[in-house]
Amino acid sequence: MTDAAALLAVAKEEARLGGSEGGVPIGAALFSVDGELLGRGHNRRVQDGDPSMHAETNAFRNAGRRPHYRDTIMVTTLSPCWYCSGLVRQFGISGVVIGEATTFSGGHDWLAEHGVAITLLDDAECVAMMRDFIERRPGIWYEDIGVPVRE
Amino acid sequence: MTDAAALLAVAKEEARLGGSEGGVPIGAALFSVDGELLGRGHNRRVQDGDPSMHAETNAFRNAGRRPHYRDTIMVTTLSPCWYCSGLVRQFGISGVVIGEATTFSGGHDWLAEHGVAITLLDDAECVAMMRDFIERRPGIWYEDIGVPVRE
């Protein structure tokens, strides 16, 4: 398998791009197990007004149609939420490389229980991007994970 | 809660529309718990070349951004796959009305374990639409659920 940090670099570029557009700074990329980039993307809630475009889903979409995903790896800057974890499980994506699970923890333990190879990094830039965004735009962040904002 | 069969009728309209377009005949709709239609859609793999647009995701997308989903119900012609089940769990959608789980069974029991109100119907037209499609287009169907086709 290709070096996880090198794969994560592509997802981090996407996260920075999303942040520069005013969006939620989460990026992702789908690679083959041989390291070929198949699709990349970032959260597009703000940019497109589209709540379904979490980063992993956007990268999956941008990879286009494939007969199956057994030979692919999802790389994401943040622990995948249940929606994106369900994507990984349903499509049989074989591994997930995660930038950090400090600011949010989704379904990666559940994926591991179901045979998905999880590589959890602790990338300081990924943490910093999310901490900054959550502090500046808490309403958008909680909307992005479906959590009603406490009044 | 509004009558489940009446809600399902909207998802079935979407499934028929998707089938008439040459796509996978699965439809869905997001309603408020009061019965207001918030968004409707159908599987768009074939039509848009977009593997991320399962019916439930398409209905969710078409409902647009919402602060939260605690007061919503997802209606779908077919048991939601793990991807769409993850969507329901992450966004806290309170209930799912399902046309049938005979031709495919996804994550609805898991959702029930996590507090989602599941209404599982056994709608003959929903079953017939899927049986017919799977028989005619097995390759597209297995691609849609990420299952490598057996040679």
Side-chain angles (χ1 to χ4, degrees):
Chain A
M1 184 174 145
T2 311
D3 178 58
L7 300 181
L8 183 65
V10 177
K12 285 168 68 175
E13 278 183 13
E14 286 289 331
R16 281 184 222 114
L17 180 57
S20 74
E21 294 167 348
V24 186
I26 306 173
L30 188 72
F31 287 92
S32 76
V33 291
D34 299 328
E36 182 193 355
L37 177 62
L38 304 173
R40 55 192 291 170
H42 53 268
N43 187 298
R44 303 198 59 83
R45 172 176 297 273
V46 173
Q47 296 90 322
D48 297 344
D50 184 349
S52 75
M53 281 298 125
H54 275 194
E56 298 92 327
T57 298
N58 193 230
F60 178 80
R61 159 184 256 182
N62 289 338
R65 287 175 58 181
R66 298 180 66 80
H68 67 84
Y69 297 82
R70 306 287 151 146
D71 56 352
T72 67
I73 298 167
M74 182 66 82
V75 185
T76 173
T77 56
L78 181 66
S79 172
C81 80
W82 287 113
Y83 172 45
C84 298
S85 295
L87 177 83
V88 169
R89 180 168 175 189
Q90 183 61 48
F91 290 99
I93 292 169
S94 67
V96 184
V97 173
I98 302 168
E100 61 108 349
T102 301
T103 65
F104 172 81
S105 186
H108 63 268
D109 286 339
W110 177 73
L111 288 175
E113 288 165 16
H114 287 92
V116 179
I118 301 294
T119 305
L120 178 56
L121 305 175
D122 182 20
D123 185 274
E125 186 186 357
C126 291
V127 173
M129 281 191 286
M130 282 308 296
R131 282 212 170 121
D132 176 66
F133 187 82
I134 293 169
E135 186 178 317
R136 287 188 298 106
R137 309 297 301 271
I140 291 177
W141 168 241
Y142 288 112
E143 179 190 313
D144 197 55
I145 50 173
V147 174
V149 174
R150 284 66 52 117
E151 299 297 326
Chain B
M1 181 173 149
T2 311
D3 178 56
L7 300 180
L8 184 64
V10 177
K12 286 168 68 174
E13 278 182 13
E14 286 289 331
R16 280 184 223 114
L17 180 58
S20 74
E21 294 166 349
V24 186
I26 305 173
L30 188 72
F31 286 91
S32 75
V33 292
D34 299 327
E36 182 192 355
L37 178 62
L38 304 173
R40 55 193 290 171
H42 53 267
N43 187 298
R44 303 198 59 84
R45 171 175 299 273
V46 172
Q47 295 91 323
D48 296 345
D50 184 350
S52 75
M53 280 298 124
H54 276 194
E56 299 90 327
T57 299
N58 193 231
F60 178 80
R61 160 185 256 183
N62 290 338
R65 287 175 57 182
R66 299 180 66 79
H68 68 82
Y69 298 82
R70 306 288 151 144
D71 55 353
T72 67
I73 297 168
M74 181 67 80
V75 185
T76 173
T77 55
L78 182 65
S79 172
C81 80
W82 288 112
Y83 173 45
C84 298
S85 295
L87 176 84
V88 168
R89 180 168 174 189
Q90 183 62 46
F91 289 98
I93 292 170
S94 67
V96 184
V97 173
I98 301 167
E100 60 107 350
T102 300
T103 65
F104 172 81
S105 185
H108 63 268
D109 287 339
W110 178 72
L111 289 174
E113 287 165 16
H114 288 92
V116 179
I118 301 294
T119 305
L120 177 56
L121 305 175
D122 183 19
D123 185 275
E125 185 186 359
C126 291
V127 173
M129 280 192 286
M130 282 308 295
R131 283 212 171 121
D132 175 67
F133 187 82
I134 294 169
E135 186 178 317
R136 286 189 299 105
R137 309 298 301 271
I140 292 176
W141 168 241
Y142 288 111
E143 179 191 314
D144 198 56
I145 51 174
V147 174
V149 174
R150 285 69 48 119
E151 301 296 327

